[in-house]
Amino acid sequence: MSEVKAELDQLMRVFLGAFTNAGGGRPDLGAVREVFIPQGMIIKNVGDKLVVYDLDGFIEPREKILTDGTLTEFREWEVAERTEVFGSIAHRFSEYGKSGFLDGVWFEGSGHKTTQFVRTPAGWRMSAMAWDDVL
C-alpha cells in the first residue's frame, strides 16, 4: 500500500508542478498527458459554472496564459490530502493553495480537488479530476 501511495503522491506532484512558472521557470504542461490516461477528464466546478475539459481543452488555454505573461510566478501546492486505494482504483481528496501574478496583480487562493486514479499496464495514472476554487 505504501508503494502505491508513494506513486499517487508523485503523480499529484507532477500534475501540480506542470503549471509552475515561478522563478523564471517554464511550465511543463506536457506532463499532464503523462500522468493522465489519454481519455482523461478534468472538470472545473467553481460557483455555478460547470466546465468539462478533455486533456487538450484543459491544457491549451493554460499553456497560453502561463507563457504569454498573463499569469506569472504561478505555483500550486497540495496542503492536505486523503487517499483511498481499492485494488486497481484509487481516489484522492485534496486541499490546495495557489499564488501568482494575474495580469500583474498578486493573488493567493485555495480550493479542493477530487482525483480518480486507475492502475494501467504502465502504472498508476489519473483518469478524472474535478476542482472547486476559493479566491
Side-chain angles (χ1 to χ4, degrees), residues 64-112:
K64 180 179 182 332
I65 67 170
L66 287 164
T67 59
D68 71 2
T70 302
L71 183 57
T72 60
E73 294 302 315
F74 182 76
R75 64 185 204 97
E76 189 173 39
W77 62 94
E78 205 168 37
V79 174
E81 56 82 15
R82 183 177 67 245
T83 302
E84 298 174 304
V85 179
F86 303 96
S88 61
I89 61 172
H91 168 81
R92 185 181 192 108
F93 188 75
S94 304
E95 180 181 344
Y96 65 93
K98 62 182 181 174
S99 63
F101 287 96
L102 180 59
D103 294 321
V105 178
W106 179 257
F107 75 92
E108 294 179 8
S110 63
H112 294 91

mmCIF file of all heavy atoms in Angstrom, residues 64-112:
data_model
loop_
_atom_site.group_PDB
_atom_site.id
_atom_site.type_symbol
_atom_site.label_atom_id
_atom_site.label_comp_id
_atom_site.label_asym_id
_atom_site.label_seq_id
_atom_site.Cartn_x
_atom_site.Cartn_y
_atom_site.Cartn_z
ATOM 1 N N LYS A 64 -1.118 28.865 -22.739
ATOM 2 C CA LYS A 64 -1.059 30.226 -23.280
ATOM 3 C C LYS A 64 -0.835 31.249 -22.162
ATOM 4 O O LYS A 64 0.095 32.037 -22.225
ATOM 5 C CB LYS A 64 -2.333 30.554 -24.053
ATOM 6 C CG LYS A 64 -2.329 31.959 -24.650
ATOM 7 C CD LYS A 64 -3.592 32.234 -25.422
ATOM 8 C CE LYS A 64 -3.660 33.570 -26.089
ATOM 9 N NZ LYS A 64 -2.941 34.668 -25.539
ATOM 10 N N ILE A 65 -1.690 31.233 -21.125
ATOM 11 C CA ILE A 65 -1.572 32.266 -20.089
ATOM 12 C C ILE A 65 -0.320 32.105 -19.229
ATOM 13 O O ILE A 65 0.170 33.074 -18.653
ATOM 14 C CB ILE A 65 -2.831 32.386 -19.205
ATOM 15 C CG1 ILE A 65 -3.042 31.148 -18.342
ATOM 16 C CG2 ILE A 65 -4.047 32.703 -20.046
ATOM 17 C CD1 ILE A 65 -4.122 31.304 -17.291
ATOM 18 N N LEU A 66 0.206 30.869 -19.152
ATOM 19 C CA LEU A 66 1.421 30.640 -18.361
ATOM 20 C C LEU A 66 2.695 30.987 -19.129
ATOM 21 O O LEU A 66 3.774 31.014 -18.543
ATOM 22 C CB LEU A 66 1.475 29.183 -17.896
ATOM 23 C CG LEU A 66 0.493 28.826 -16.785
ATOM 24 C CD1 LEU A 66 0.338 27.317 -16.669
ATOM 25 C CD2 LEU A 66 0.911 29.431 -15.458
ATOM 26 N N THR A 67 2.576 31.245 -20.426
ATOM 27 C CA THR A 67 3.768 31.559 -21.219
ATOM 28 C C THR A 67 3.704 32.923 -21.898
ATOM 29 O O THR A 67 4.709 33.382 -22.442
ATOM 30 C CB THR A 67 4.011 30.482 -22.299
ATOM 31 O OG1 THR A 67 2.877 30.394 -23.146
ATOM 32 C CG2 THR A 67 4.301 29.130 -21.663
ATOM 33 N N ASP A 68 2.541 33.594 -21.876
ATOM 34 C CA ASP A 68 2.434 34.891 -22.568
ATOM 35 C C ASP A 68 2.498 36.095 -21.626
ATOM 36 O O ASP A 68 2.270 37.223 -22.044
ATOM 37 C CB ASP A 68 1.165 34.956 -23.414
ATOM 38 C CG ASP A 68 -0.129 35.057 -22.599
ATOM 39 O OD1 ASP A 68 -0.075 35.109 -21.349
ATOM 40 O OD2 ASP A 68 -1.210 35.090 -23.229
ATOM 41 N N GLY A 69 2.794 35.872 -20.346
ATOM 42 C CA GLY A 69 2.916 36.970 -19.392
ATOM 43 C C GLY A 69 1.634 37.292 -18.634
ATOM 44 O O GLY A 69 1.637 38.120 -17.725
ATOM 45 N N THR A 70 0.533 36.610 -18.970
ATOM 46 C CA THR A 70 -0.739 36.841 -18.265
ATOM 47 C C THR A 70 -0.665 36.354 -16.822
ATOM 48 O O THR A 70 -1.107 37.034 -15.897
ATOM 49 C CB THR A 70 -1.894 36.132 -18.993
ATOM 50 O OG1 THR A 70 -1.966 36.605 -20.337
ATOM 51 C CG2 THR A 70 -3.218 36.363 -18.293
ATOM 52 N N LEU A 71 -0.102 35.165 -16.617
ATOM 53 C CA LEU A 71 -0.010 34.538 -15.296
ATOM 54 C C LEU A 71 1.464 34.228 -15.043
ATOM 55 O O LEU A 71 2.046 33.375 -15.717
ATOM 56 C CB LEU A 71 -0.861 33.269 -15.249
ATOM 57 C CG LEU A 71 -0.942 32.521 -13.931
ATOM 58 C CD1 LEU A 71 -1.463 33.402 -12.798
ATOM 59 C CD2 LEU A 71 -1.850 31.293 -14.094
ATOM 60 N N THR A 72 2.057 34.942 -14.083
ATOM 61 C CA THR A 72 3.479 34.783 -13.803
ATOM 62 C C THR A 72 3.699 34.430 -12.333
ATOM 63 O O THR A 72 2.822 34.634 -11.492
ATOM 64 C CB THR A 72 4.254 36.075 -14.139
ATOM 65 O OG1 THR A 72 3.735 37.150 -13.345
ATOM 66 C CG2 THR A 72 4.145 36.420 -15.615
ATOM 67 N N GLU A 73 4.882 33.903 -12.071
ATOM 68 C CA GLU A 73 5.256 33.494 -10.702
ATOM 69 C C GLU A 73 4.183 32.574 -10.099
ATOM 70 O O GLU A 73 3.954 32.569 -8.879
ATOM 71 C CB GLU A 73 5.503 34.706 -9.799
ATOM 72 C CG GLU A 73 6.700 35.530 -10.207
ATOM 73 C CD GLU A 73 7.997 34.729 -10.225
ATOM 74 O OE1 GLU A 73 8.249 33.967 -9.271
ATOM 75 O OE2 GLU A 73 8.737 34.860 -11.217
ATOM 76 N N PHE A 74 3.552 31.783 -10.952
ATOM 77 C CA PHE A 74 2.463 30.919 -10.503
ATOM 78 C C PHE A 74 3.008 29.614 -9.942
ATOM 79 O O PHE A 74 3.934 29.027 -10.481
ATOM 80 C CB PHE A 74 1.501 30.606 -11.652
ATOM 81 C CG PHE A 74 0.337 29.754 -11.214
ATOM 82 C CD1 PHE A 74 -0.708 30.313 -10.500
ATOM 83 C CD2 PHE A 74 0.297 28.399 -11.494
ATOM 84 C CE1 PHE A 74 -1.769 29.536 -10.067
ATOM 85 C CE2 PHE A 74 -0.760 27.617 -11.070
ATOM 86 C CZ PHE A 74 -1.803 28.187 -10.359
ATOM 87 N N ARG A 75 2.385 29.201 -8.868
ATOM 88 C CA ARG A 75 2.621 27.864 -8.325
ATOM 89 C C ARG A 75 1.378 27.403 -7.594
ATOM 90 O O ARG A 75 0.556 28.208 -7.142
ATOM 91 C CB ARG A 75 3.869 27.802 -7.456
ATOM 92 C CG ARG A 75 3.830 28.622 -6.202
ATOM 93 C CD ARG A 75 5.182 28.563 -5.478
ATOM 94 N NE ARG A 75 4.989 28.837 -4.060
ATOM 95 C CZ ARG A 75 4.874 27.923 -3.111
ATOM 96 N NH1 ARG A 75 4.990 26.658 -3.390
ATOM 97 N NH2 ARG A 75 4.680 28.265 -1.854
ATOM 98 N N GLU A 76 1.251 26.112 -7.518
ATOM 99 C CA GLU A 76 0.102 25.475 -6.858
ATOM 100 C C GLU A 76 0.654 24.300 -6.060
ATOM 101 O O GLU A 76 1.555 23.601 -6.528
ATOM 102 C CB GLU A 76 -0.866 24.993 -7.950
ATOM 103 C CG GLU A 76 -2.185 24.505 -7.458
ATOM 104 C CD GLU A 76 -3.133 24.207 -8.618
ATOM 105 O OE1 GLU A 76 -2.689 23.686 -9.654
ATOM 106 O OE2 GLU A 76 -4.316 24.501 -8.463
ATOM 107 N N TRP A 77 0.148 24.093 -4.851
ATOM 108 C CA TRP A 77 0.685 23.043 -3.995
ATOM 109 C C TRP A 77 -0.436 22.419 -3.170
ATOM 110 O O TRP A 77 -1.433 23.046 -2.856
ATOM 111 C CB TRP A 77 1.777 23.603 -3.092
ATOM 112 C CG TRP A 77 1.281 24.666 -2.147
ATOM 113 C CD1 TRP A 77 0.852 24.484 -0.859
ATOM 114 C CD2 TRP A 77 1.118 26.063 -2.434
ATOM 115 N NE1 TRP A 77 0.442 25.678 -0.324
ATOM 116 C CE2 TRP A 77 0.588 26.667 -1.280
ATOM 117 C CE3 TRP A 77 1.357 26.853 -3.566
ATOM 118 C CZ2 TRP A 77 0.301 28.024 -1.220
ATOM 119 C CZ3 TRP A 77 1.067 28.210 -3.494
ATOM 120 C CH2 TRP A 77 0.560 28.772 -2.337
ATOM 121 N N GLU A 78 -0.208 21.175 -2.832
ATOM 122 C CA GLU A 78 -1.165 20.445 -2.006
ATOM 123 C C GLU A 78 -0.916 20.788 -0.549
ATOM 124 O O GLU A 78 0.217 20.792 -0.079
ATOM 125 C CB GLU A 78 -0.966 18.945 -2.255
ATOM 126 C CG GLU A 78 -2.161 18.114 -1.986
ATOM 127 C CD GLU A 78 -2.018 16.690 -2.505
ATOM 128 O OE1 GLU A 78 -0.911 16.111 -2.431
ATOM 129 O OE2 GLU A 78 -3.026 16.167 -2.977
ATOM 130 N N VAL A 79 -1.984 21.115 0.169
ATOM 131 C CA VAL A 79 -1.909 21.459 1.585
ATOM 132 C C VAL A 79 -2.229 20.232 2.441
ATOM 133 O O VAL A 79 -1.592 19.979 3.459
ATOM 134 C CB VAL A 79 -2.885 22.615 1.918
ATOM 135 C CG1 VAL A 79 -2.936 22.889 3.404
ATOM 136 C CG2 VAL A 79 -2.507 23.861 1.134
ATOM 137 N N ALA A 80 -3.226 19.476 2.025
ATOM 138 C CA ALA A 80 -3.649 18.279 2.751
ATOM 139 C C ALA A 80 -4.294 17.333 1.754
ATOM 140 O O ALA A 80 -4.778 17.763 0.702
ATOM 141 C CB ALA A 80 -4.638 18.640 3.860
ATOM 142 N N GLU A 81 -4.305 16.044 2.077
ATOM 143 C CA GLU A 81 -4.940 15.076 1.196
ATOM 144 C C GLU A 81 -5.400 13.858 1.986
ATOM 145 O O GLU A 81 -4.892 13.567 3.062
ATOM 146 C CB GLU A 81 -3.996 14.652 0.065
ATOM 147 C CG GLU A 81 -2.663 14.094 0.510
ATOM 148 C CD GLU A 81 -2.666 12.630 0.911
ATOM 149 O OE1 GLU A 81 -3.633 11.894 0.609
ATOM 150 O OE2 GLU A 81 -1.699 12.211 1.557
ATOM 151 N N ARG A 82 -6.365 13.185 1.408
ATOM 152 C CA ARG A 82 -6.841 11.900 1.931
ATOM 153 C C ARG A 82 -6.946 10.980 0.716
ATOM 154 O O ARG A 82 -7.639 11.300 -0.255
ATOM 155 C CB ARG A 82 -8.195 12.065 2.616
ATOM 156 C CG ARG A 82 -8.717 10.796 3.244
ATOM 157 C CD ARG A 82 -10.030 10.999 3.994
ATOM 158 N NE ARG A 82 -11.112 11.335 3.073
ATOM 159 C CZ ARG A 82 -11.777 12.491 3.042
ATOM 160 N NH1 ARG A 82 -11.478 13.459 3.880
ATOM 161 N NH2 ARG A 82 -12.745 12.700 2.176
ATOM 162 N N THR A 83 -6.231 9.869 0.736
ATOM 163 C CA THR A 83 -6.176 8.954 -0.397
ATOM 164 C C THR A 83 -6.681 7.590 0.040
ATOM 165 O O THR A 83 -6.298 7.093 1.100
ATOM 166 C CB THR A 83 -4.723 8.832 -0.923
ATOM 167 O OG1 THR A 83 -4.253 10.134 -1.283
ATOM 168 C CG2 THR A 83 -4.642 7.907 -2.110
ATOM 169 N N GLU A 84 -7.527 7.008 -0.802
ATOM 170 C CA GLU A 84 -8.042 5.663 -0.558
ATOM 171 C C GLU A 84 -7.767 4.818 -1.799
ATOM 172 O O GLU A 84 -8.017 5.264 -2.914
ATOM 173 C CB GLU A 84 -9.535 5.702 -0.280
ATOM 174 C CG GLU A 84 -9.886 6.500 0.973
ATOM 175 C CD GLU A 84 -11.382 6.656 1.178
ATOM 176 O OE1 GLU A 84 -12.047 7.169 0.250
ATOM 177 O OE2 GLU A 84 -11.869 6.245 2.246
ATOM 178 N N VAL A 85 -7.250 3.617 -1.581
ATOM 179 C CA VAL A 85 -6.926 2.704 -2.667
ATOM 180 C C VAL A 85 -7.774 1.449 -2.508
ATOM 181 O O VAL A 85 -7.874 0.890 -1.416
ATOM 182 C CB VAL A 85 -5.420 2.337 -2.645
ATOM 183 C CG1 VAL A 85 -5.084 1.358 -3.753
ATOM 184 C CG2 VAL A 85 -4.566 3.592 -2.735
ATOM 185 N N PHE A 86 -8.369 1.022 -3.609
ATOM 186 C CA PHE A 86 -9.202 -0.176 -3.643
ATOM 187 C C PHE A 86 -8.757 -1.020 -4.829
ATOM 188 O O PHE A 86 -9.226 -0.793 -5.954
ATOM 189 C CB PHE A 86 -10.684 0.181 -3.800
ATOM 190 C CG PHE A 86 -11.202 1.099 -2.740
ATOM 191 C CD1 PHE A 86 -11.249 2.456 -2.963
ATOM 192 C CD2 PHE A 86 -11.624 0.609 -1.513
ATOM 193 C CE1 PHE A 86 -11.717 3.321 -1.994
ATOM 194 C CE2 PHE A 86 -12.093 1.464 -0.533
ATOM 195 C CZ PHE A 86 -12.140 2.829 -0.774
ATOM 196 N N GLY A 87 -7.819 -1.927 -4.631
ATOM 197 C CA GLY A 87 -7.339 -2.768 -5.726
ATOM 198 C C GLY A 87 -6.683 -1.937 -6.812
ATOM 199 O O GLY A 87 -5.649 -1.315 -6.594
ATOM 200 N N SER A 88 -7.314 -1.886 -7.983
ATOM 201 C CA SER A 88 -6.716 -1.190 -9.134
ATOM 202 C C SER A 88 -7.331 0.185 -9.385
ATOM 203 O O SER A 88 -7.148 0.761 -10.451
ATOM 204 C CB SER A 88 -6.841 -2.060 -10.378
ATOM 205 O OG SER A 88 -8.202 -2.303 -10.653
ATOM 206 N N ILE A 89 -8.064 0.715 -8.393
ATOM 207 C CA ILE A 89 -8.601 2.077 -8.482
ATOM 208 C C ILE A 89 -8.278 2.815 -7.183
ATOM 209 O O ILE A 89 -8.071 2.204 -6.143
ATOM 210 C CB ILE A 89 -10.126 2.105 -8.749
ATOM 211 C CG1 ILE A 89 -10.893 1.408 -7.619
ATOM 212 C CG2 ILE A 89 -10.450 1.494 -10.110
ATOM 213 C CD1 ILE A 89 -12.411 1.552 -7.715
ATOM 214 N N ALA A 90 -8.241 4.137 -7.284
ATOM 215 C CA ALA A 90 -7.950 4.946 -6.090
ATOM 216 C C ALA A 90 -8.626 6.303 -6.234
ATOM 217 O O ALA A 90 -8.974 6.730 -7.338
ATOM 218 C CB ALA A 90 -6.449 5.121 -5.915
ATOM 219 N N HIS A 91 -8.813 6.946 -5.108
ATOM 220 C CA HIS A 91 -9.443 8.266 -5.051
ATOM 221 C C HIS A 91 -8.627 9.135 -4.089
ATOM 222 O O HIS A 91 -8.150 8.654 -3.057
ATOM 223 C CB HIS A 91 -10.882 8.137 -4.542
ATOM 224 C CG HIS A 91 -11.479 9.457 -4.185
ATOM 225 N ND1 HIS A 91 -12.004 10.303 -5.106
ATOM 226 C CD2 HIS A 91 -11.592 10.081 -2.986
ATOM 227 C CE1 HIS A 91 -12.437 11.403 -4.496
ATOM 228 N NE2 HIS A 91 -12.193 11.283 -3.209
ATOM 229 N N ARG A 92 -8.502 10.410 -4.426
ATOM 230 C CA ARG A 92 -7.785 11.342 -3.550
ATOM 231 C C ARG A 92 -8.602 12.622 -3.444
ATOM 232 O O ARG A 92 -9.049 13.167 -4.452
ATOM 233 C CB ARG A 92 -6.413 11.649 -4.144
ATOM 234 C CG ARG A 92 -5.512 12.522 -3.286
ATOM 235 C CD ARG A 92 -4.213 12.719 -4.055
ATOM 236 N NE ARG A 92 -3.135 13.284 -3.280
ATOM 237 C CZ ARG A 92 -2.061 12.636 -2.862
ATOM 238 N NH1 ARG A 92 -1.916 11.354 -3.137
ATOM 239 N NH2 ARG A 92 -1.114 13.259 -2.186
ATOM 240 N N PHE A 93 -8.780 13.098 -2.236
ATOM 241 C CA PHE A 93 -9.423 14.377 -1.986
ATOM 242 C C PHE A 93 -8.337 15.300 -1.454
ATOM 243 O O PHE A 93 -7.683 14.982 -0.461
ATOM 244 C CB PHE A 93 -10.568 14.238 -0.987
ATOM 245 C CG PHE A 93 -11.363 15.496 -0.856
ATOM 246 C CD1 PHE A 93 -12.248 15.881 -1.854
ATOM 247 C CD2 PHE A 93 -11.222 16.311 0.251
ATOM 248 C CE1 PHE A 93 -12.976 17.056 -1.755
ATOM 249 C CE2 PHE A 93 -11.943 17.483 0.367
ATOM 250 C CZ PHE A 93 -12.827 17.855 -0.632
ATOM 251 N N SER A 94 -8.108 16.407 -2.155
ATOM 252 C CA SER A 94 -7.001 17.298 -1.824
ATOM 253 C C SER A 94 -7.481 18.700 -1.511
ATOM 254 O O SER A 94 -8.411 19.200 -2.139
ATOM 255 C CB SER A 94 -6.039 17.432 -3.016
ATOM 256 O OG SER A 94 -5.560 16.200 -3.441
ATOM 257 N N GLU A 95 -6.792 19.336 -0.591
ATOM 258 C CA GLU A 95 -6.905 20.776 -0.383
ATOM 259 C C GLU A 95 -5.612 21.359 -0.929
ATOM 260 O O GLU A 95 -4.537 20.793 -0.732
ATOM 261 C CB GLU A 95 -7.037 21.081 1.101
ATOM 262 C CG GLU A 95 -7.157 22.544 1.421
ATOM 263 C CD GLU A 95 -7.269 22.808 2.909
ATOM 264 O OE1 GLU A 95 -7.544 21.881 3.688
ATOM 265 O OE2 GLU A 95 -7.051 23.973 3.300
ATOM 266 N N TYR A 96 -5.701 22.469 -1.677
ATOM 267 C CA TYR A 96 -4.504 23.034 -2.269
ATOM 268 C C TYR A 96 -4.486 24.544 -2.129
ATOM 269 O O TYR A 96 -5.507 25.182 -1.890
ATOM 270 C CB TYR A 96 -4.368 22.637 -3.746
ATOM 271 C CG TYR A 96 -5.453 23.190 -4.621
ATOM 272 C CD1 TYR A 96 -5.288 24.400 -5.287
ATOM 273 C CD2 TYR A 96 -6.640 22.512 -4.787
ATOM 274 C CE1 TYR A 96 -6.295 24.921 -6.081
ATOM 275 C CE2 TYR A 96 -7.652 23.011 -5.580
ATOM 276 C CZ TYR A 96 -7.468 24.220 -6.223
ATOM 277 O OH TYR A 96 -8.475 24.730 -7.004
ATOM 278 N N GLY A 97 -3.298 25.093 -2.273
ATOM 279 C CA GLY A 97 -3.107 26.533 -2.311
ATOM 280 C C GLY A 97 -2.495 26.907 -3.643
ATOM 281 O O GLY A 97 -1.926 26.066 -4.336
ATOM 282 N N LYS A 98 -2.614 28.171 -4.003
ATOM 283 C CA LYS A 98 -2.012 28.660 -5.242
ATOM 284 C C LYS A 98 -1.727 30.139 -5.080
ATOM 285 O O LYS A 98 -2.358 30.827 -4.268
ATOM 286 C CB LYS A 98 -2.925 28.411 -6.443
ATOM 287 C CG LYS A 98 -4.266 29.117 -6.369
ATOM 288 C CD LYS A 98 -5.109 28.755 -7.575
ATOM 289 C CE LYS A 98 -6.441 29.470 -7.521
ATOM 290 N NZ LYS A 98 -7.224 29.248 -8.730
ATOM 291 N N SER A 99 -0.743 30.612 -5.859
ATOM 292 C CA SER A 99 -0.421 32.032 -5.825
ATOM 293 C C SER A 99 0.290 32.407 -7.112
ATOM 294 O O SER A 99 0.815 31.555 -7.835
ATOM 295 C CB SER A 99 0.458 32.365 -4.619
ATOM 296 O OG SER A 99 1.701 31.688 -4.712
ATOM 297 N N GLY A 100 0.301 33.704 -7.385
ATOM 298 C CA GLY A 100 0.998 34.220 -8.554
ATOM 299 C C GLY A 100 0.516 35.620 -8.876
ATOM 300 O O GLY A 100 -0.256 36.226 -8.124
ATOM 301 N N PHE A 101 0.971 36.114 -10.004
ATOM 302 C CA PHE A 101 0.532 37.403 -10.523
ATOM 303 C C PHE A 101 -0.366 37.149 -11.723
ATOM 304 O O PHE A 101 0.067 36.543 -12.699
ATOM 305 C CB PHE A 101 1.724 38.266 -10.969
ATOM 306 C CG PHE A 101 2.532 38.823 -9.849
ATOM 307 C CD1 PHE A 101 3.679 38.168 -9.416
ATOM 308 C CD2 PHE A 101 2.161 40.004 -9.220
ATOM 309 C CE1 PHE A 101 4.438 38.682 -8.383
ATOM 310 C CE2 PHE A 101 2.915 40.531 -8.180
ATOM 311 C CZ PHE A 101 4.057 39.865 -7.763
ATOM 312 N N LEU A 102 -1.600 37.616 -11.660
ATOM 313 C CA LEU A 102 -2.533 37.527 -12.777
ATOM 314 C C LEU A 102 -2.730 38.936 -13.313
ATOM 315 O O LEU A 102 -3.181 39.817 -12.572
ATOM 316 C CB LEU A 102 -3.869 36.926 -12.335
ATOM 317 C CG LEU A 102 -4.931 36.770 -13.423
ATOM 318 C CD1 LEU A 102 -4.436 35.871 -14.554
ATOM 319 C CD2 LEU A 102 -6.213 36.196 -12.824
ATOM 320 N N ASP A 103 -2.323 39.146 -14.561
ATOM 321 C CA ASP A 103 -2.353 40.483 -15.173
ATOM 322 C C ASP A 103 -1.633 41.512 -14.290
ATOM 323 O O ASP A 103 -2.099 42.639 -14.119
ATOM 324 C CB ASP A 103 -3.787 40.920 -15.452
ATOM 325 C CG ASP A 103 -4.446 40.061 -16.515
ATOM 326 O OD1 ASP A 103 -3.756 39.693 -17.488
ATOM 327 O OD2 ASP A 103 -5.643 39.762 -16.373
ATOM 328 N N GLY A 104 -0.526 41.078 -13.686
ATOM 329 C CA GLY A 104 0.299 41.974 -12.886
ATOM 330 C C GLY A 104 -0.160 42.185 -11.457
ATOM 331 O O GLY A 104 0.470 42.912 -10.706
ATOM 332 N N VAL A 105 -1.264 41.552 -11.059
ATOM 333 C CA VAL A 105 -1.808 41.708 -9.704
ATOM 334 C C VAL A 105 -1.593 40.412 -8.923
ATOM 335 O O VAL A 105 -2.011 39.338 -9.367
ATOM 336 C CB VAL A 105 -3.318 42.064 -9.757
ATOM 337 C CG1 VAL A 105 -3.889 42.177 -8.347
ATOM 338 C CG2 VAL A 105 -3.533 43.350 -10.545
ATOM 339 N N TRP A 106 -0.941 40.534 -7.764
ATOM 340 C CA TRP A 106 -0.681 39.370 -6.916
ATOM 341 C C TRP A 106 -1.990 38.790 -6.406
ATOM 342 O O TRP A 106 -2.907 39.520 -6.022
ATOM 343 C CB TRP A 106 0.207 39.753 -5.743
ATOM 344 C CG TRP A 106 0.489 38.605 -4.817
ATOM 345 C CD1 TRP A 106 -0.075 38.374 -3.598
ATOM 346 C CD2 TRP A 106 1.382 37.522 -5.058
ATOM 347 N NE1 TRP A 106 0.416 37.217 -3.061
ATOM 348 C CE2 TRP A 106 1.325 36.671 -3.942
ATOM 349 C CE3 TRP A 106 2.231 37.184 -6.114
ATOM 350 C CZ2 TRP A 106 2.084 35.503 -3.846
ATOM 351 C CZ3 TRP A 106 2.992 36.022 -6.011
ATOM 352 C CH2 TRP A 106 2.909 35.210 -4.894
ATOM 353 N N PHE A 107 -2.085 37.455 -6.383
ATOM 354 C CA PHE A 107 -3.250 36.790 -5.798
ATOM 355 C C PHE A 107 -2.795 35.546 -5.051
ATOM 356 O O PHE A 107 -1.737 34.987 -5.320
ATOM 357 C CB PHE A 107 -4.284 36.420 -6.871
ATOM 358 C CG PHE A 107 -3.878 35.239 -7.704
ATOM 359 C CD1 PHE A 107 -4.260 33.960 -7.350
ATOM 360 C CD2 PHE A 107 -3.085 35.414 -8.825
ATOM 361 C CE1 PHE A 107 -3.871 32.871 -8.109
ATOM 362 C CE2 PHE A 107 -2.690 34.335 -9.590
ATOM 363 C CZ PHE A 107 -3.079 33.057 -9.230
ATOM 364 N N GLU A 108 -3.613 35.180 -4.103
ATOM 365 C CA GLU A 108 -3.454 33.911 -3.396
ATOM 366 C C GLU A 108 -4.824 33.284 -3.333
ATOM 367 O O GLU A 108 -5.827 33.987 -3.157
ATOM 368 C CB GLU A 108 -2.909 34.126 -1.991
ATOM 369 C CG GLU A 108 -1.499 34.674 -1.980
ATOM 370 C CD GLU A 108 -0.960 34.913 -0.574
ATOM 371 O OE1 GLU A 108 -1.620 34.517 0.411
ATOM 372 O OE2 GLU A 108 0.125 35.505 -0.469
ATOM 373 N N GLY A 109 -4.881 31.985 -3.500
ATOM 374 C CA GLY A 109 -6.165 31.294 -3.462
ATOM 375 C C GLY A 109 -5.997 29.890 -2.933
ATOM 376 O O GLY A 109 -4.888 29.442 -2.630
ATOM 377 N N SER A 110 -7.112 29.211 -2.834
ATOM 378 C CA SER A 110 -7.104 27.830 -2.371
ATOM 379 C C SER A 110 -8.313 27.133 -2.969
ATOM 380 O O SER A 110 -9.160 27.757 -3.601
ATOM 381 C CB SER A 110 -7.136 27.768 -0.842
ATOM 382 O OG SER A 110 -8.339 28.348 -0.357
ATOM 383 N N GLY A 111 -8.374 25.858 -2.742
ATOM 384 C CA GLY A 111 -9.508 25.107 -3.250
ATOM 385 C C GLY A 111 -9.378 23.638 -2.913
ATOM 386 O O GLY A 111 -8.524 23.236 -2.106
ATOM 387 N N HIS A 112 -10.229 22.861 -3.543
ATOM 388 C CA HIS A 112 -10.259 21.413 -3.329
ATOM 389 C C HIS A 112 -10.285 20.710 -4.672
ATOM 390 O O HIS A 112 -10.903 21.200 -5.621
ATOM 391 C CB HIS A 112 -11.487 21.022 -2.508
ATOM 392 C CG HIS A 112 -11.441 21.564 -1.124
ATOM 393 N ND1 HIS A 112 -11.980 22.786 -0.776
ATOM 394 C CD2 HIS A 112 -10.877 21.066 0.003
ATOM 395 C CE1 HIS A 112 -11.765 23.004 0.510
ATOM 396 N NE2 HIS A 112 -11.088 21.983 1.002
#
